[in-house]
Amino acid sequence: MNFLPSLSKTAGAEEDRGRKVPPRFPNLRQRNDINVPKKQKNVFTTFPPCVNIYVGGGWDFPVSPRVFNHDPCFGSWSKNIRTSRPPRCVHSNSIYGGYIQMAQKVQFVETVLRDANQSLIATRLPYDKFAPMLETIDKTGYYAVECWGGATFDVCLRYLNEDPWERLRKIRAAVPNTKLQMLLRGQNVLGYSHYPDDFVKLFVQKSVENGIDIIRIFDALNDTNNLKVAMEATVKAGAIASGTLSYTTSPVHTQKKYVEMVKELKEMGASTICIKDMAGIMGPKEAYDLVSAIKDAAPELPIDLHTHSTTGLAFMTYLKAVEAGVDIIDTAISPFSGGTSQPATETLAYALRQLGYEVDLDDKCTKKMADYFKTVRDDYIKDGTLMPKSMATDTQCLTYQIPGGMLSNLLSQLKQVNALDRFDEVLVETPKVRKDMGYPPLVTPTSQMVGVQAVRNVLDGQRYKSVSKEIKAYCRGEYGHTPAPIDPEIQKMILGDEQPLTVRYADTLEPVVDKTREKLGDLARSDEDVLSYIAFPNLAEKFFEERKAKEENVATYSIVEC
C-alpha cells in the first residue's frame, strides 16, 4: 500500500458523485474509470479536505482533521499531518471491491502460563496442570506466549519442586511454532536484588538457548542504567529485546519522561516497546495519549501494552490504545482473566473483529483452552488458593496503585498472620510508603518492598519501627536512581550516618559466575544449575540435593527389582 500524502486543497468530493464510496470515507474519489456500484447514502457529512492520500486501487482520499480526530482507525495522525506520517489503519471492507484493504492487525500475547496465574494464584501452576493444552496454545495464533520469568523461577524451586530450566525446555518442545516470552527484571534478573554483569549476560544467553524468543526487560525504577546490560545481551543472543516502561502516575512521571525513556531504549537496541501497567491504573485517555506520543517519537517500533483488570479499566484502555495504533495487547484466556489478571482473550478478539480490526486467533482453539482451564481454575477456588478478592474489581487501586500480583501477595501475607481484617489499613498505608520512597513504580521488586513495609507499619503500630534489609538497600541506592528523592527524614531514620551510593550498584560487584562454578563442583551439572544457585542459593542447593536423592532411590529400586 503506497501512501503519498500531500498538502493539496483539491476537494474531490464534487467528482463522481454517483459512485459508491465507503460510508466512513465520504470524500473518497475515484481517479480513473473503475466500475463500481452506484450511489449509496453516506453516513458522514462531507468535510473540507486538507490532505490527499493515494491508497492504491485508483483511489484518492482527501482527509479533513475532523475525520482523523473522530475516526478510530486514524488514531492521532491529525495532530501530525505535517510529518507526512500515514494513518495507522483504514478498516478493510470487501463490499468496496478490495480498493481499501488496510485493516490494522492487533496481535495477542497470552499470559495464562505466567502473569495471569501469578496474579490470581501466586504462580502456583505446576507444569503438569497446563501441559495438556500446550499443543492447542501453539495452534491458536498468538504473537507470543508469556511463560517464564517473573516469579515462575522462584516458585518452581520454592514450592513446585520443578527445575525452571527443564520446565522451559518442555514448553519449548511442545510449542515449536509460537514465540515464547519471558519477563526479566533488568539487573535484578529474576531475583530481588542486583547481580553482577557476568551473571546477567550468562542468564540472558542461557534463556535464549533454552527456548526464549522475546525478553521483556524492565526496571522497577525505570532507571535505564539498570537495563543496558540485559538489553545488549538479548540483542547479542539473537532474541527480541522488548524495552519496557514501568507505568505509573505521580507528580514526577510525565508523558515527556516516558517518551525520553523510549528514545533511550531504542538506542540500546529495543525491537519493541512494552508499556507495562502492572496496577491496571492506566485509563483510556492516558493509553491513547501515551501510545500516540510513542508512535510519533518512534513509529518503527511496535508497541505492546500490558495492563490488569484490577480497576475495571482494562477493556476500555485496550480499545483506546488500539485506536491510537498499539500493535500487541496482553490478555488471558477467560477462566484466568479478570480481577488482578488481564482482560479475557476471547472477549477482546470478538470486540476488535466487530470494530473491523484483523485478529488472527483461532476461536476453536481458544474455546478448547477455556473449557480446559475452567476446570483448573475451579480446583484452585475449591482449595482456597484462588481467593474471591483476587477475582473482584477494586476501584480503590486507582488511588493505591497496587498491581495484581502485589495484591494477592498482600492478602497471602495477612492471611498467614490472621490479619485479613487489616487489609484496608494496609491499602491506605501503601501509597504513603511509596511517596516516602520517591514514588517508585509498584512492580517487582519494589512492589514487594513497599508492600511488606506497609504491612509492617500497620501491624507494628508505628511507621518504620522495623525495616526490611531490602528497604535499607533501596535507601542506600542499590536499586538505582529513584524517580524522586527519598524523604530525607525517612532515609536518615533508616540509614543513620551511612551515605547512599553515587554510582551504579552493579559496578561495585565482583564477577560471580566462575567462582560459583568452582564452588559447586559436581553438584551443578550445567551452567543453568550455576545460574539457579546464584539467583536462589538456598532453594537451588536444596533442589539439587533432592534431585540427587530421588535419582539414587530410583536407581536402587531398579537394581533390587532386577
Side-chain angles (χ1 to χ4, degrees):
M1 201 64 64
N2 295 319
F3 288 96
L4 298 173
S6 64
L7 296 178
S8 166
K9 293 186 178 180
T10 305
E14 65 277 6
E15 299 180 17
D16 299 311
R17 290 186 181 276
R19 299 189 183 278
K20 181 179 180 181
V21 297
R24 296 174 66 81
F25 311 123
N27 286 328
L28 189 65
R29 65 183 174 87
Q30 194 174 16
R31 301 202 328 183
N32 53 32
D33 294 329
I34 297 172
N35 291 322
V36 293
K38 293 184 181 178
K39 236 171 156 182
Q40 174 178 331
K41 183 178 178 181
N42 292 333
V43 297
F44 278 76
T45 305
T46 299
F47 302 123
C50 66
V51 178
N52 284 348
I53 300 177
Y54 174 61
V55 295
W59 293 92
D60 196 28
F61 188 5
V63 182
S64 78
R66 288 180 63 192
V67 172
F68 281 110
N69 285 335
H70 294 287
D71 195 291
C73 67
F74 289 109
S76 64
W77 191 68
S78 59
K79 302 174 185 176
N80 301 283
I81 285 174
R82 292 185 182 180
T83 69
S84 296
R85 181 158 61 80
R88 295 181 188 120
C89 70
V90 176
H91 295 309
S92 66
N93 196 330
S94 59
I95 193 172
Y96 302 116
Y99 295 117
I100 298 178
Q101 295 292 336
M102 297 158 53
Q104 178 183 340
K105 177 184 284 191
V106 182
Q107 301 194 77
F108 286 65
V109 172
E110 176 58 57
T111 66
V112 68
L113 302 187
R114 212 283 299 174
D115 199 32
N117 81 80
Q118 180 172 323
S119 297
L120 292 176
I121 58 172
T123 327
R124 304 300 197 271
L125 187 68
Y127 177 82
D128 292 343
K129 285 275 191 181
F130 60 78
M133 272 296 103
L134 290 176
E135 183 180 353
T136 300
I137 290 172
D138 193 34
K139 295 176 180 177
T140 302
Y142 290 111
Y143 166 75
V145 175
E146 189 191 40
C147 64
W148 212 58
T152 58
F153 206 94
D154 181 351
V155 171
C156 278
L157 293 171
R158 190 183 302 271
Y159 299 111
L160 304 181
N161 195 31
E162 291 184 19
D163 181 343
W165 297 98
E166 180 62 22
R167 177 182 173 115
L168 173 58
R169 288 190 289 268
K170 289 193 290 188
I171 295 172
R172 176 78 284 171
V175 185
N177 304 305
T178 305
K179 290 187 286 294
L180 299 185
Q181 179 174 298
M182 72 170 290
L183 185 68
L184 191 84
R185 301 167 186 160
Q187 206 69 29
N188 285 12
V189 188
L190 300 177
Y192 305 101
S193 60
H194 281 205
Y195 294 96
D197 290 344
D198 65 330
F199 172 72
V200 177
K201 292 174 183 177
L202 184 61
F203 197 98
V204 168
Q205 177 190 328
K206 289 299 177 181
S207 297
V208 175
E209 288 179 8
N210 281 273
I212 289 296
D213 301 292
I214 304 169
I215 303 184
R216 179 178 290 174
I217 307 164
F218 76 95
D219 178 65
L221 300 178
N222 284 329
D223 184 348
T224 52
N225 289 327
N226 294 333
L227 300 173
K228 191 172 188 294
V229 172
M231 292 283 291
E232 291 174 350
T234 300
V235 174
K236 183 178 179 181
I240 295 171
S242 185
T244 303
L245 314 178
S246 296
Y247 180 81
T248 189
T249 59
S250 81
V252 297
H253 289 91
T254 64
Q255 184 174 292
K256 181 181 177 182
K257 287 286 186 184
Y258 286 128
V259 170
E260 288 174 356
M261 186 177 175
V262 166
K263 292 177 180 178
E264 288 188 64
L265 294 171
K266 178 182 173 182
E267 290 299 314
M268 290 180 187
S271 297
T272 66
I273 295 296
C274 174
I275 305 170
K276 182 175 173 60
D277 174 27
M278 49 280 170
I281 59 171
M282 176 181 275
K285 184 179 187 302
E286 292 160 327
Y288 185 92
D289 291 345
L290 183 55
V291 170
S292 297
I294 295 172
K295 281 291 184 183
D296 293 342
E300 71 281 10
L301 292 180
I303 301 175
D304 184 332
L305 178 57
H306 172 97
T307 190
H308 290 253
S309 298
T310 316
T311 63
L313 288 171
F315 285 107
M316 295 174 282
T317 296
Y318 272 157
L319 290 179
K320 288 299 287 185
V322 168
E323 180 181 319
V326 87
D327 303 276
I328 308 160
I329 55 176
D330 290 11
T331 60
I333 200 69
S334 53
F336 272 78
S337 71
T340 56
S341 178
Q342 281 73 48
T345 301
E346 307 97 304
T347 307
L348 275 157
Y350 180 91
L352 290 170
R353 284 184 181 126
Q354 193 175 77
L355 289 170
Y357 296 97
E358 182 182 347
V359 174
D360 285 344
L361 298 183
D362 186 320
D363 293 342
K364 291 180 180 177
C365 289
T366 55
K367 172 68 166 58
K368 186 175 180 180
M369 287 173 61
D371 289 344
Y372 177 84
F373 280 106
K374 281 176 187 174
T375 304
V376 176
R377 176 200 60 193
D378 291 346
D379 289 341
Y380 285 110
I381 292 174
K382 288 175 185 176
D383 68 18
T385 304
L386 179 50
M387 292 182 278
K389 280 192 175 184
S390 294
M391 296 185 286
T393 298
D394 188 352
T395 55
Q396 293 182 99
C397 294
L398 293 172
T399 301
Y400 306 129
Q401 300 198 5
I402 298 176
M406 183 179 175
L407 264 180
S408 60
N409 284 334
L410 285 177
L411 288 166
S412 180
Q413 288 177 50
L414 292 171
K415 185 178 181 181
Q416 287 174 13
V417 294
N418 296 316
L420 277 175
D421 58 317
R422 310 292 297 275
F423 182 63
D424 288 342
E425 294 176 67
V426 172
L427 287 182
V428 172
E429 178 64 15
T430 299
K432 294 178 181 177
V433 174
R434 178 174 178 255
K435 181 181 178 182
D436 294 341
M437 295 296 116
Y439 293 108
L442 292 181
V443 62
T444 302
T446 54
S447 58
Q448 282 82 355
M449 292 190 291
V450 170
V452 167
Q453 192 59 51
V455 170
R456 287 190 179 202
N457 289 355
V458 168
L459 297 183
D460 288 345
Q462 180 181 334
R463 304 188 79 231
Y464 302 103
K465 180 181 179 181
S466 61
V467 176
S468 68
K469 64 179 182 180
E470 289 80 12
I471 284 287
K472 288 181 181 178
Y474 177 92
C475 289
R476 278 195 297 267
E478 292 183 15
Y479 289 86
H481 296 293
T482 56
I486 298 171
D487 183 295
E489 292 184 10
I490 301 296
Q491 190 172 31
K492 178 70 174 176
M493 184 191 310
I494 293 170
L495 292 183
D497 295 329
E498 189 177 357
Q499 293 300 309
L501 291 168
T502 56
V503 297
R504 188 181 75 120
Y505 179 60
D507 290 336
T508 70
L509 301 175
E510 294 291 329
V512 69
V513 172
D514 288 339
K515 289 190 293 186
T516 307
R517 284 192 188 113
E518 186 177 343
K519 175 184 175 180
L520 292 176
D522 294 339
L523 188 61
R525 301 175 181 177
S526 63
D527 275 348
E528 286 83 350
D529 281 353
V530 172
L531 293 168
S532 296
Y533 181 86
I534 295 170
F536 302 102
N538 295 333
L539 296 176
E541 188 169 8
K542 181 185 176 190
F543 177 81
F544 299 156
E545 290 170 351
E546 290 178 350
R547 178 180 64 186
K548 183 178 179 181
K550 184 178 179 181
E551 290 171 355
E552 288 175 350
N553 286 339
V554 170
T556 302
Y557 179 76
S558 300
I559 292 170
V560 170
E561 261 200 333
C562 293

